[in-house]
């Protein structure tokens, strides 16, 4: 174990300032204009070649250093629609928007790595493509960058990503080959029956009663249709029906999300949702129509690249601080679209306790700046490992 790369003191101070500046100015999906300008200005000042306008606000910095392979390192830049409640000096100046997932920290760490590697060309040989993507939360900025030709213009051989991970101690890193984060699907189920007087239910079809039975029955998909060793989550998160006290509504709309790891399970859940909803509704004379949309694929690490990431991480934190068999998360990540196109590895970098609102997407969350030198050291060691001279 080598520990963190040397000479990081000044850079860590700079990264902390950048991170807090970004934190104070959060921007959401495809509107990360100030953030994009900030990143472009920094990359150019380090001497990197900057390409802007991928997925609107996304951008890429290229660091070339002799003949060698081309590899992609990726960070996300977007914030969330949350009202910040931290009361920190650097808390959000944009009401209703907040860096509650630590993408401010991810951006600062990748910028730090870009500067460090520019200043230490002796460490690697080849080309590094620093990818700064917009709209990781919900809108799939990673997908849009890929669709707009990210890897055609910058044909990297491998691609790597990371996320800070509250609940994992600072100084620990978790990674594994195979799926680390789930596929994220959404659904909307519309029930159409015949509304009636609430005192005369026999005159119509009660879509609230039918919807309630469907909500319960959908839970049997994970427990009775999916293999017990496989994983699936079906969550109904919205149930909209009715406007007043004494009318049974003629329509109801249910919405929610499905999480799975394997395509076979994803297919099974989608099919069973349609069958269960249609059959239950039909039993009561109600029509069910299901709209099912696949949003993010699972985030799946390839074996060879995970081994490279493991070696780089071990140099920074030591073998004993690696968690090589973490429980995958049912959260989702749009780095998955890049991993569909290129082999690579996505890791979790320990960010400390997750209690007292220090978990991701909490209005009390703030990125733990103690992670900055660790994440940057990982990127540097990864460049050394993947682009060894
Ligand atoms: Zn998030
Ligand atoms: Zn995130």
């Amino acid at each position: 174990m080598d520990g963190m790369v040397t000479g990081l003191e000044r850079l860590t101070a700079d990264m902390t300032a950048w991170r807090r500046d970004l934190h104070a100015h959060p921007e959401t999906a495809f509107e990360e204009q100030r953030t994009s300008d900030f990143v472009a200005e920094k990359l150019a000042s380090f001497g990197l070649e900057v390409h802007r306008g991928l997925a609107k606000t996304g951008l890429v910095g290229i660091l070339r250093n002799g003949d060698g392979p081309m590899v992609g390192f990726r960070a996300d830049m977007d914030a969330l629609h949350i009202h910040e409640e931290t009361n920190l000096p650097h808390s959000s100046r944009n009401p209703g928007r907040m860096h509650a997932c630590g993408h401010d920290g991810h951006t600062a760490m990748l910028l730090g790595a870009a500067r460090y590697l520019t200043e230490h060309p002796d460490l690697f040989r080849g080309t590094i493509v620093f990818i700064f993507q917009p709209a990781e939360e919900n809108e799939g900025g990673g997908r849009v960058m890929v669709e707009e030709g990210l890897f055609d213009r910058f044909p990297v051989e491998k691609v790597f990503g990371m996320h800070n991970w509250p609940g994992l101690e600072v100084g620990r890193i978790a990674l594994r080959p195979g799926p680390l984060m789930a596929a994220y699907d959404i659904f909307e189920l519309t029930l159409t029956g015949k509304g009636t007087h609430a005192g005369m239910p026999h005159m119509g079809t009660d879509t609230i009663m039918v919807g309630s039975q469907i909500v319960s029955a959908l839970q049997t998909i994970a427990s009775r249709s999916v293999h017990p060793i496989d994983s699936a989550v079906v969550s109904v998160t919205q149930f909209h029906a009715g406007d007043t006290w004494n009318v049974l509504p003629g329509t109801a709309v249910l919405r929610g999300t499905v999480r799975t790891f394997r395509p076979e399970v994803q297919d099974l859940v989608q099919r069973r949702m349609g069958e269960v909803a249609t059959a239950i509704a039909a039993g009561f004379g109600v029509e069910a129509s299901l709209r099912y949309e696949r949003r993010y694929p699972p985030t799946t690490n390839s074996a060879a690249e995970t081994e490279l990431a493991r070696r780089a991480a071990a140099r920074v934190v030591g073998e004993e601080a690696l968690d090589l068999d973490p429980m995958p998360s049912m959260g989702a990540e749009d780095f998955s679209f890049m991993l569909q196109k290129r082999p690579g590895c996505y890791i979790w970098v320990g960010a400390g306790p997750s209690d007292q609102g220090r978990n991701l997407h909490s209005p009390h969350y703030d990125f733990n700046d103690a992670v900055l030198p660790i994440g940057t050291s990982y990127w540097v060691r990864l460049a050394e490992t993947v682009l060894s001279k």
Side-chain angles (χ1 to χ4, degrees):
M1 167 182 167
D2 306 319
M4 282 181 252
V5 294
T6 52
L8 270 186
E9 297 75 19
R10 191 170 55 88
L11 182 56
T12 299
D14 286 345
M15 285 194 289
T16 305
W18 301 341
R19 205 284 293 175
R20 292 180 183 185
D21 184 282
L22 293 169
H23 190 92
H25 301 94
E27 297 170 304
T28 49
F30 299 117
E31 294 172 358
E32 306 90 340
Q33 199 55 56
R34 182 189 182 279
T35 310
S36 180
D37 290 346
F38 183 99
V39 171
E41 186 268 313
K42 289 280 178 288
L43 292 173
S45 76
F46 309 153
L48 271 70
E49 181 185 311
V50 180
H51 298 264
R52 303 195 63 179
L54 283 111
K56 288 187 185 155
T57 47
L59 70 161
V60 157
I62 314 279
L63 177 54
R64 292 179 214 279
N65 189 35
D67 292 335
M70 181 184 275
V71 63
F73 293 172
R74 166 273 198 184
D76 38 15
M77 304 188 290
D78 57 316
L80 285 149
H81 287 279
I82 292 177
H83 275 283
E84 178 154 0
E85 295 174 23
T86 63
N87 293 318
L88 290 163
H90 58 273
S91 74
S92 172
R93 314 267 198 277
N94 299 346
R97 288 177 170 74
M98 176 185 176
H99 269 296
C101 205
H103 301 183
D104 47 350
H106 302 165
T107 299
M109 289 189 288
L110 193 58
L111 280 175
R115 187 168 103 187
Y116 192 92
L117 287 162
T118 310
E119 292 169 353
H120 296 82
D122 49 309
L123 294 179
F124 70 101
R125 194 173 189 88
T127 300
I128 305 173
V129 179
F130 294 92
I131 304 164
F132 294 86
Q133 76 147 85
E136 192 285 320
E137 307 279 2
N138 296 309
E139 306 305 325
R143 172 180 53 77
V144 179
M145 281 187 103
V146 170
E147 284 172 359
E148 291 186 5
L150 173 66
F151 295 142
D152 303 322
R153 289 177 62 186
F154 312 103
V156 302
E157 292 176 14
K158 309 167 191 299
V159 66
F160 295 87
M162 70 162 71
H163 208 291
N164 79 99
W165 207 248
L168 186 65
E169 267 173 64
V170 174
R172 294 190 70 85
I173 290 177
L175 72 166
R176 53 170 289 161
L180 189 60
M181 301 195 75
Y184 164 43
D185 301 340
I186 59 169
F187 64 84
E188 180 176 88
L189 179 66
T190 304
L191 302 176
T192 311
K194 186 170 166 245
T196 181
H197 192 297
M200 305 171 194
H202 60 292
M203 304 290 288
T205 49
D206 178 0
T207 54
I208 289 184
M209 178 277 293
V210 172
S212 305
Q213 305 227 2
I214 291 174
V215 171
S216 300
L218 290 180
Q219 291 313 312
T220 66
I221 296 175
S223 65
R224 287 296 174 271
S225 300
V226 172
H227 189 291
I229 303 300
D230 261 317
S231 305
V233 176
V234 179
S235 290
V236 176
T237 58
Q238 301 179 43
F239 191 144
H240 301 279
D243 298 297
T244 188
W245 307 94
N246 54 357
V247 175
L248 290 170
T251 58
V253 177
L254 283 67
R255 298 194 186 101
T257 180
V258 172
R259 308 295 170 107
T260 53
F261 288 113
R262 297 198 308 121
E264 296 84 351
V265 180
Q266 192 178 26
D267 291 342
L268 173 68
V269 172
Q270 180 174 358
R271 178 172 61 78
R272 286 297 295 149
M273 285 189 72
E275 289 170 355
V276 166
T278 307
I280 290 176
F284 296 101
V286 169
E287 207 178 294
S289 90
L290 177 68
R291 185 172 73 79
Y292 191 99
E293 194 182 307
R294 297 184 178 200
R295 281 283 175 108
Y296 293 3
T299 303
T300 305
N301 291 333
S302 54
E305 285 66 30
T306 303
E307 173 55 20
L308 293 169
R310 187 197 65 74
R311 278 160 45 194
R315 286 186 63 191
V316 178
V317 297
E319 295 279 356
E320 66 287 349
L322 296 182
D323 184 352
L324 298 174
D325 190 21
M327 177 97 75
S329 164
M330 281 300 189
E333 162 64 66
D334 86 341
F335 183 61
S336 52
F337 289 103
M338 297 188 190
L339 287 177
Q340 277 190 326
K341 296 290 180 194
R342 290 294 187 274
C345 182
Y346 175 84
I347 66 166
W348 290 333
V349 181
S354 59
D355 57 344
Q356 296 168 358
R358 288 179 287 191
N359 51 326
L360 301 176
H361 295 201
S362 158
H364 301 285
Y365 168 90
D366 186 39
F367 180 86
N368 186 344
D369 286 328
V371 177
L372 292 170
I374 299 171
T376 294
S377 294
Y378 167 74
W379 284 130
V380 171
R381 295 303 186 204
L382 190 63
E384 276 187 285
T385 307
V386 179
L387 301 175
S388 55
K389 292 171 56 164

